[in-house]
RNA sequence: GGGCACUUAGCUCAGCGGUAGAGCACCGCUUUCACACGGCGGGGGUCGCAGGUUCAAACCCUGCAGUGCCCACCA
């Protein structure tokens, strides 16, 4: 459910749960003592999101930082997929809005003038359905058509609409409150609603213009009729469902013969009352002889023709098919070809009407089915009943089988509007990401059918059409205009009756990209922010919304509504099942926010947002990313406890970093920042999150902060000062990079670290995005530190594998070291000793008895483990290691021995293999030496 | 019936032509002064199956099997 109004979106969080959590939340934020604690005291070890999130959101919003037009930068615009005004936040919203917020926050920090346009949708059927249900519980019905029956009180149209508005005012704020909880930095000052005054005006103008251009017209044909809501629905609102039914074989007596029958097979015997023909295939030998004759319709006695039509499939059923043009789309076409009458045998709620024989009148279509089958059987006309599984179209909202129903409705000529919309994507003016959706879009657009836009409902935009006494239609912006036209037409004033129907909800959302910017007025905002940059939405509404926005926008704005459409996946449960209330597997984003914090939920959804693949969400993942927030929190504590600050005059350009560890972390952060930006540019949100996770935890915390410990505890004042500055700097820049994904914790730490008071930076959300390309990369530092990481890791592995007690501090030495390695051992002695828990580290030429030799790149380490380790275990370790390297060498040798490889492979690849072979062989040979030494000591 | 995805470690998934990766789970060790929501180390995979292309395939092509989704006229 990527969008609120998607067909399967009725799985939302409950109102009460979120309501409770919000009050609990604001309460705790007020009472927390932490807020009052002096900022220089060591903060709590654990990050507690609930205590700070509300505070930050209020601050952001009050500061005006969300507003568009704050600066004169290049505009960057996203329109929110408007959620149902009375809905509440579900996981699809959480994903959808997190991704949009990341893009917006990132571009805002990059200096773009960002507009994230918020708003809500009136959600016609869905909302009317909810309110009708509420009313029904009070014994109140609506004074329209057949719904009236049996209700104590009936509301007029005006009363009902007023009631919906009242409900909208009461519960319309839920979803916007919840978007705040998530951290969405939308421009609330521009919030719109699809039924507010401006947008309603846009809807009217679009309808009138399209009508005048001949692109909206009225037509009488079969529609998908929803007998529960008594309204037409569009093809898209029809949901095929597999149903176990029967195939009934029925004998229709041949007219003029006492013992001949034509046998038809049907899944819907009740519609036979509306049959006006039987069709057989022209080549079907079984029935050919009856073509041109008539059958007597059982139970009715009507004479109906037997016609030849290729629609009839000899393979299916009996090969003879009953034709009911009034209640079947195919039969309608057959009827048209053979000039058959389309009999309407149903009332709007699918009860049999007065065109059928007396005994069946008033029966519901399912009762009628039973009754008719029974009557046929009694008359000996039922040949057999076969169980039959088939697909039956259902209303996606009502859940009842839809009825093909002959009515007059308003249609949009979608085929015409689709032409420029197809062309725009063909030309790449709008691009789908992932690209695979382009195909889906084309397929649908190229086979598009007329869009039925009228709905027999009360909640929505009433169609601006008025009828004169002779049913002549006047389409106009308002009643006065319609009267004027009518007067001109009739030459006098006449009574006009307004069309009672409203428009499909998606009609107004199709205009969203420009109507929210003020269209049809030529506002400065429309000029500045249209077309929008990106639309972020779920694949389930490509047809409902994306395609229709393309059509309407291109028609009225002569330009695409958005340059990129990023299509994200569905959020499923941990087992990959669609979340649904009936399955009870719905995860409530608000509950997860309460439990782990909005940042943790946001990071989780981002890290799982692989393009083109559904998200399987398990609570454990959220917990894991909550832990990540805590890790960051503690890294900041470390910086604070070690008095790390960025000096006012600190600049990477002017300062020569004397400590390689500092040069290294700058280079690592540089790579991470660049990789992050690259990932985001390609909408690879998962990669963007992964890069930062790996940097912060795997590089900055696991290694860099550990490297700083010996320096900060040492005596070299200059080294200490530089390291403090770089630590604070790296933390500061990391907070900027993380902010789009985790706005709350980064903002809190930003303040706690005093980056805000630094004066130059101000609020983190408005801080300048780092220009990582300008930071120095230091390949020499990278090579050195990578070597240190390798050496330390190897010592740790050896200690662990040979069960050296954790507390044991070893006096290590090194031999066979290259000049570079010797230099590094000396310069990094402190760091290696601290991280590998060594007592000392010195050069040595000899190896003491029982010492273990550890082969590292460019050197051999000697560790005095006599008496600590088991020689047999050590031998096994060496042998295992040697065997692995031998395997590696053999593999590379095989490749290098292949003349084709040398001749055809990229020379760089060949060289890489040669180098690797040399390295592996050197290591292997030193291991063999070490093993020999061990054997010699036995 | 047509189309689109997916199938890689116990689980969830990255990788999409040049030494098989992550997170979680699991197993050791570890409660030393950023963090036990932690630290250190480890085990674990013939990358669905069968062919083909290539010096080289988890990655490209073909076929098959399984799973999911979308579209399609309810005999």
């Amino acid at each position: 459910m990527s969008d609120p109004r998607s067909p399967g979106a009725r799985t939302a969080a409950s109102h009460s749960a979120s309501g409770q959590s919000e009050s609990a939340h604001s309460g705790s934020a007020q009472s927390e003592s932490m807020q009052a604690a002096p900022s220089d005291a060591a903060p709590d070890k654990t990050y507690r999101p609930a205590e700070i999130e509300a505070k930050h959101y209020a601050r952001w919003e009050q500061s005006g930082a969300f507003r568009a037009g704050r600066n004169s930068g290049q505009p960057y615009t996203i329109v929110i997929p408007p959620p149902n005004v009375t809905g509440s936040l579900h996981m699809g919203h959480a994903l959808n809005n997190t991704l949009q917020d990341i893009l917006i926050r990132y571009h805002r920090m990059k200096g773009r003038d960002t507009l994230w346009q918020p708003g809500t949708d009136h959600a016609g059927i869905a909302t009317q359905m909810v309110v009708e249900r509420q009313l029904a519980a009070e014994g109140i019905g609506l004074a329209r058509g057949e719904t009236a029956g049996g209700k104590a009180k009936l509301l007029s149209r005006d009363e009902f609409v007023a009631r919906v508005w009242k409900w909208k005012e009461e519960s319309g704020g839920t979803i916007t409150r919840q978007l705040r909880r998530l951290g969405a930095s939308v421009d609330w000052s521009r919030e719109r609603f699809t039924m507010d005054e401006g947008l309603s005006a846009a809807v009217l103008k679009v309808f009138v213009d399209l009508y005048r251009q001949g692109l909206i017209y009225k037509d009488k044909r079969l529609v998908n009729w929803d007998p529960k809501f008594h309204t037409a629905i569009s093809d898209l609102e029809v949901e095929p469902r597999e149903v176990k039914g029967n195939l009934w074989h029925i004998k229709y007596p041949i007219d003029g013969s006492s013992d001949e029958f034509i046998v038809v097979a049907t899944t819907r015997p009740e519609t036979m009352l509306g049959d006006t023909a039987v069709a057989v295939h022209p080549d079907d030998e079984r029935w050919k002889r009856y073509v041109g004759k008539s059958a007597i319709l059982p139970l009715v006695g009507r004479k109906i023709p037997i016609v030849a039509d290729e629609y009839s499939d000899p393979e299916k059923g009996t090969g003879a098919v009953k034709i009911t043009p009034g209640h079947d789309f195919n039969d309608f076409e057959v009827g048209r070809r053979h000039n058959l009458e389309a009999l309407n045998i149903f009332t709007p709620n699918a009860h049999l009407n007065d065109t059928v024989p007396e005994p069946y009148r008033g029966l519901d279509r399912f009762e009628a089915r039973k009754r008719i089958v029974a009557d046929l059987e009694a008359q000996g006309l039922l040949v057999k009943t076969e169980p039959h599984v088939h697909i039956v179209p259902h209303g996606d909202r009502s859940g009842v089988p839809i009825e093909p129903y002959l009515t007059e409705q308003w249609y949009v000529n979608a085929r015409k509007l689709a032409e420029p919309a197809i062309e725009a994507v063909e030309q790449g003016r709008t691009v789908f990401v992932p690209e695979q959706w382009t195909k889906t879009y084309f397929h649908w657009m190229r086979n598009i059918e007329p869009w039925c836009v009228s709905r027999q409902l009360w909640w929505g935009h009433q169609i601006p059409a008025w009828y004169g006494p002779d049913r002549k239609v006047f389409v106009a912006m308002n009643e006065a205009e319609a009267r004027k036209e009518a007067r001109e037409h009739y030459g006098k004033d006449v009574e006009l009756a307004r069309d009672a129907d409203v428009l499909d909800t998606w009609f107004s959302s199709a205009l969203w990209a420009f109507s929210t910017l003020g269209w049809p007025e030529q506002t400065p905002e429309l000029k500045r922010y249209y077309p929008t940059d990106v639309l972020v939405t779920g694949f389930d509404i490509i047809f409902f919304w994306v395609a229709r926005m393309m059509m309407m926008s291109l028609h009225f704005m002569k330009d695409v509504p958005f340059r990129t459409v990023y299509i994200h996946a569905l959020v499923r449960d941990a087992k990959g099942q669609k979340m649904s209330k009936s399955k009870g597997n719905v995860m409530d984003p608000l509950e997860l926010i309460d439990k782990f914090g909005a940042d943790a939920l946001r990071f989780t959804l981002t890290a799982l947002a692989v393009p083109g693949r559904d998200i399987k969400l398990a609570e454990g993942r959220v917990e894991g990313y909550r832990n990540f927030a805590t890790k960051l929190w503690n890294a900041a504590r470390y910086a604070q406890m070690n008095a790390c600050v960025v000096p006012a005059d600190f600049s990477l350009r002017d300062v020569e970093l004397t400590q390689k560890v500092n040069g290294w972390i700058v280079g690592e952060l540089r790579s991470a920042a660049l990789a992050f930006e690259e990932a985001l540019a390609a909408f690879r949100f998962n990669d963007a999150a992964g890069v930062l996770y790996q940097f912060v935890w795997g590089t900055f915390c696991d290694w860099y902060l550990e490297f700083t410990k010996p320096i900060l505890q040492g005596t070299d004042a200059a080294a200490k000062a530089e390291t403090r500055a770089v630590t604070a700097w790296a933390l500061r820049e990391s907070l900027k990079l993380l902010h789009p994904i985790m706005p709350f914790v980064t903002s809190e730490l930003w303040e706690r670290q005093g980056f805000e008071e630094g004066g130059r930076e101000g609020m983190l959300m408005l801080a300048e995005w780092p220009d990582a390309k300008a930071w120095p990369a230091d390949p020499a530092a990278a090579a050195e530190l990578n070597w240190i990481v390798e050496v330390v890791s190897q010592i740790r592995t050896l200690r662990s594998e040979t069960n050296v007690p954790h507390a044991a501090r070893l006096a290590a030495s090194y031999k066979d070291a290259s000049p570079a390695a010797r230099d590094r051992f000396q310069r990094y002695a402190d760091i290696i000793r601290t991280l590998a828990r060594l007592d000392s580290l010195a050069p040595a030429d000899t190896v003491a008895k029982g010492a273990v030799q550890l082969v590292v790149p460019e050197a051999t380490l000697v560790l005095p483990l006599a008496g600590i380790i088991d020689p047999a275990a050590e031998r096994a370790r060496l042998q295992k290691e040697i065997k692995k390297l031998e395997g590696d060498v053999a593999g590379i040798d095989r490749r290098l021995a292949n003349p084709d490889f040398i001749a055809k492979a990229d020379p760089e690849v060949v060289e890489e293999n040669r180098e690797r072979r040399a390295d592996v062989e050197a290591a292997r040979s030193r291991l063999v030496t070490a093993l020999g030494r061990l054997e010699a000591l036995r």
Side-chain angles (χ1 to χ4, degrees), chain A residues 447-478:
Chain A
N447 297 289
I448 199 162
E449 293 289 320
W451 173 18
C452 175
V453 290
S454 42
R455 296 290 181 277
Q456 288 64 52
L457 302 171
W458 282 351
W459 176 241
H461 300 100
Q462 192 170 354
I463 289 172
W466 284 263
Y467 300 96
D470 56 354
R471 292 297 288 169
K472 168 147 181 73
V473 64
F474 300 92
V475 170
M477 287 298 288
N478 51 53

Side-chain angles (χ1 to χ4, degrees), chain A residues 57 60 65-70 75-83 89 92-108 112-119 175-176 178-180 182-192 512-513 516-517 529 532-537 545 568 602 740 743 765:
Chain A
Y57 197 89
W60 296 330
F66 293 168
R67 294 220 177 175
R70 274 184 44 261
Y76 183 86
T77 313
I78 297 179
V79 290
I80 204 168
L89 196 82
H93 294 120
L95 169 67
N96 179 253
N97 290 289
T98 294
L99 300 183
Q100 292 177 76
D101 197 35
I102 289 169
L103 293 172
I104 285 288
R105 285 179 185 270
Y106 168 67
H107 285 100
R108 188 184 287 124
R112 302 282 291 271
D113 171 18
T114 52
L115 166 59
W116 187 5
Q117 172 64 50
I175 190 118
T176 54
Q178 291 172 331
L179 282 170
R180 287 173 165 89
L182 189 68
S185 62
V186 298
D187 184 352
W188 291 115
S189 72
R190 300 190 48 83
E191 183 178 354
R192 303 304 298 269
W512 189 247
T516 52
L517 293 171
Y529 299 106
T532 70
D533 288 80
V534 186
L535 182 76
V536 178
T537 191
W545 195 44
H568 64 242
R602 291 170 59 115
M765 74 167 286

Side-chain angles (χ1 to χ4, degrees), chain A residues 40-43 634-644 724 753:
Chain A
D40 58 347
N634 279 292
R637 276 182 79 220
Y638 174 82
Q640 195 167 359
M641 291 163 84
N642 284 285
C644 298
R724 283 202 185 104
Q753 294 296 314

Side-chain angles (χ1 to χ4, degrees), chain A residues 41 45 85 101 114 156 240 260 288 313 337 533 545 576 578 604 608 644 714 856 858 911 933:
Chain A
K45 286 201 263 192
V85 64
D101 197 35
T114 52
S156 71
E260 282 181 291
K288 218 174 174 173
D313 181 352
R337 286 198 285 275
D533 288 80
W545 195 44
K578 211 167 184 170
T604 307
L608 295 176
C644 298
V856 298
E858 297 182 53
E911 188 48 34
R933 166 103 194 140

